[in-house]
Each structure stands twice: as C-alpha cells, then as structure tokens.
Amino acid sequence: MSDVSGVRGMPSGESAAPGEPGSEEPALGRIALGLDGVRAAQRGRTAEARASFEALWEELGERDVFHRCVLAHYLADLQDDPRVELEWDRRALAAADSLTAERAATYASAHQVRAFYPSLHLNLASDHLKLGEPDLAREQLERAVRSLDALPEDAYSAGIRAAVDELRQRLR
C-alpha cells in the first residue's frame, strides 16, 4: 500500500478561522478518520481502511481539492474490483482537474496537484490494462509521459518514471 501519511494534518479548508466556534472540531474529526484509515491499511484491514477513507471523502466535500485527490488516489489502491479501482482513479483525476486557475491562485497546494498527474494517469493506464483495454491504457500512459515534467528530481519521481517505462514495455 502506498504511504498515506499525506492525509495527516489536513487544513480545514473553508471552515472557521482558529478560535471561532467549530474551527477545530471538524478538522480533528477529519484527521481522526484519516488516521483510522491509515492504521487500518497498514494492518491489512482493507475494508476498514476503505470505510474510514470513504467517510473522510464525504466529510471533505467539494472544497478541498488537494486532499480529495490524494484520498481518491489511495482509495483506488484499496479496491479489490478493478472497475471500482478505475472509478476511484477517475475521481482522483476529476478532483485534480477541478482546480481551476482562479482556485489555484488562492490554493497553496496547486503546484502539488500538478505533480500528481503522472501518477494519476499511470494508475488509469494500469486500470485499463487490468480490464483488457490496451488502447485506453496506451492513451493514459501517453498522458502520464506528457506530464512527467511536473515531477521534481527525487526518489518518488524516479519510481514513477520507472513505472511508466515498465508499463510502456508491457504495452508493446
């Protein structure tokens, strides 16, 4: 399972400012759901992890694009059914795509969302290959390749690039 530690310490999005009524309780509830999901996933309790993350998905609503993207990305990894995995990967991409230019100007994590695209498209390519749809897999893989420039030079990025190369070989 991928490292889901990005769920920790989530900003409360558009909730009340610190010190105002209701500012800490919703954020703490979301953090608790995320941590419950992380712990369950680390212990191999996939159904429990899915339930916690799905509850967190509902709590986040539409306002927190960055965390919706991360959460859907990880929820896809927890699925047993490749069609459901594909749907969660599509939700992750839709969340990333929903970051409009206007919202990006006021959203501190906009650059981080852009760096998700190689992995998002790589996962979609893998999903389509699992489902016996090699043409759709190639299309998504090409999108992953075109977005690789968004990645920094680090170990995570090297892993994504290696996975892209590996899938490219499998699709030949």
Side-chain angles (χ1 to χ4, degrees):
M1 153 104 204
S2 301
D3 175 11
V4 292
S5 60
V7 175
R8 291 187 210 146
M10 284 185 279
S12 59
E14 297 173 10
S15 63
E20 291 182 20
S23 65
E24 292 181 20
E25 188 174 318
L28 291 176
R30 289 189 296 269
I31 291 168
L33 284 170
L35 289 175
D36 288 347
V38 168
R39 283 188 209 105
Q42 289 172 339
R43 290 179 174 95
R45 297 191 312 255
T46 306
E48 186 180 328
R50 277 193 306 256
S52 290
F53 287 152
E54 287 170 2
L56 181 55
W57 175 264
E58 293 302 319
E59 281 287 318
L60 287 175
E62 297 292 324
R63 68 178 183 243
D64 192 338
V65 173
F66 175 77
H67 290 104
R68 279 179 75 80
C69 182
V70 170
L71 192 57
H73 200 46
Y74 289 120
L75 267 161
D77 291 342
L78 292 170
Q79 303 306 314
D80 298 322
D81 180 337
R83 294 208 178 276
V84 177
E85 181 179 1
L86 174 63
E87 286 308 310
W88 278 109
D89 280 329
R90 285 178 174 160
R91 288 176 185 161
L93 181 61
D97 286 346
S98 74
L99 187 62
T100 63
E102 180 180 321
R103 287 178 77 185
T106 61
Y107 195 65
S109 298
H111 68 283
Q112 293 171 317
V113 172
R114 184 175 177 270
F116 284 162
Y117 279 98
S119 180
L120 294 171
H121 288 295
L122 177 62
N123 282 359
L124 286 164
S126 178
D127 295 342
H128 285 296
L129 190 58
K130 287 178 196 173
L131 293 168
E133 303 166 340
D135 291 338
L136 292 173
R138 284 184 192 90
E139 180 182 316
Q140 289 298 325
L141 184 60
E142 182 54 36
R143 289 179 180 173
V145 169
R146 288 194 310 260
S147 62
L148 287 172
D149 67 323
L151 294 175
E153 294 300 323
D154 60 16
Y156 169 79
S157 300
I160 296 294
R161 287 183 177 92
V164 164
D165 289 341
E166 180 182 322
L167 190 55
R168 183 180 284 149
Q169 292 299 318
R170 289 177 55 200
L171 285 168
R172 287 190 179 184

